[in-house]
Amino acid sequence: ETGVTQTPRHLVMGMTNKKSLKCEQHLGHNAMYWYKQSAKKPLELMFVYNFKEQTENNSVPSRFSPECPNSSHLFLHLHTLQPEDSALYLCASSQSRGAQETQYFGPGTRLLVL
Amino acid sequence: GEDVEQSLFLSVREGDSSVINCTYTDSSSTYLYWYKQEPGAGLQLLTYIFSNMDMKQDQRLTVLLNKKDKHLSLRIADTQTGDSAIYFCAEKEKNTGFQKLVFGTGTRLLVSP
């Protein structure tokens, strides 16, 4: 599935930097998600936006700040990150239509915090 | 919270069948999913099964669901080297408004020639 794109694909940042991850979906979906994938841990759901409204914040530290200006775009603003925040950040989207809502994932942004 | 468990590693020879197993805890799960992740890529949906089904077949893939034991398996027939990847099982939590998936830690499948 190539309907969800993420940029950049790789990012190296220092702990004092500010950067943003971008996700765009071309599938006409109305829900978008940020996940964190760390080595040897299950995927962690971070944020969910449904019709541009944030419906889930899974106890994520405030150094991660999401933004969803419209149903097609999702950002994750990063500032004063820690080395343990290094991970693969995955974006996904789905169409709310009752019980079965398949999530489609982007390729991810591999983040390294030095 | 809900929990999904998978074995970490499976190694098979090309042409053999692979069976990847998953157990979950949420008896109210409505849908269960299998995703595939190749190196450097995101998750690709392979297949899903509704909780009132026992089996679903899609070309080389067969999903078996034992709801009583909360056990899900993915069988890949005639496994190819291109099937080498990490396979994630996921269940849909019962909720309202959006789809919350709980993922296992993934099973790394290695297919040798």
Side-chain angles (χ1 to χ4, degrees):
Chain A
E1 183 61 53
T2 58
V4 182
T5 58
Q6 290 185 242
T7 55
R9 294 294 310 276
H10 298 88
L11 179 61
V12 180
M13 59 188 288
M15 289 189 284
T16 58
N17 291 158
K18 287 184 180 181
K19 296 285 184 184
S20 295
L21 309 185
K22 179 182 176 183
C23 175
E24 185 173 358
Q25 59 96 359
H26 313 274
L27 301 169
H29 291 165
N30 54 22
M32 296 187 77
Y33 310 75
W34 279 118
Y35 286 88
K36 176 183 179 183
Q37 186 179 29
S38 305
K40 298 180 182 177
K41 291 176 70 175
L43 252 69
E44 300 172 57
L45 178 65
M46 298 175 72
F47 301 105
V48 182
Y49 277 82
N50 203 19
F51 292 98
K52 301 187 297 178
E53 298 297 320
Q54 189 180 127
T55 53
E56 181 86 356
N57 176 339
N58 219 19
S59 304
V60 180
S62 60
R63 57 185 184 269
F64 295 91
S65 174
E67 179 191 359
C68 188
N70 55 60
S71 293
S72 300
H73 294 85
L74 185 65
F75 295 88
L76 188 62
H77 303 299
L78 316 171
H79 64 98
T80 59
L81 294 192
Q82 304 298 310
E84 60 264 28
D85 296 323
S86 299
L88 181 68
Y89 289 85
L90 292 164
C91 173
S93 70
S94 69
Q95 179 64 30
S96 296
R97 52 166 182 249
Q100 205 291 101
E101 302 172 24
T102 301
Q103 287 187 23
Y104 293 91
F105 284 79
T109 295
R110 173 80 55 193
L111 174 66
L112 177 62
V113 181
L114 300 176
Chain B
E2 306 306 335
D3 193 26
V4 177
E5 293 191 356
Q6 301 178 238
S7 53
L8 291 179
F9 190 74
L10 176 65
S11 179
V12 300
R13 289 193 177 277
E14 193 173 23
D16 288 348
S17 292
S18 307
V19 179
I20 302 170
N21 295 301
C22 169
T23 57
Y24 59 97
T25 57
D26 184 5
S27 58
S28 65
S29 293
T30 52
Y31 285 90
L32 295 119
Y33 300 81
W34 284 104
Y35 282 86
K36 175 184 180 182
Q37 186 178 34
E38 296 182 3
L43 273 65
Q44 172 196 352
L45 177 69
L46 284 179
T47 187
Y48 63 89
I49 188 167
F50 187 45
S51 58
N52 69 353
M53 298 170 66
D54 298 324
M55 186 183 86
K56 180 178 181 181
Q57 187 151 3
D58 183 1
Q59 298 182 333
R60 291 191 298 123
L61 305 179
T62 303
V63 179
L64 294 178
L65 175 60
N66 182 329
K67 200 171 179 184
K68 173 177 168 289
D69 294 338
K70 298 185 196 130
H71 183 266
L72 182 74
S73 68
L74 174 69
R75 179 176 180 270
I76 305 173
D78 188 25
T79 315
Q80 304 298 306
T81 54
D83 295 324
S84 293
I86 302 176
Y87 291 80
F88 291 91
C89 166
E91 62 169 348
K92 178 178 183 284
E93 272 197 357
K94 191 175 182 181
N95 61 70
T96 57
F98 69 92
Q99 183 199 49
K100 186 170 183 180
L101 295 181
V102 178
F103 285 85
T105 50
T107 299
R108 184 178 295 274
L109 174 66
L110 178 64
V111 183
S112 53

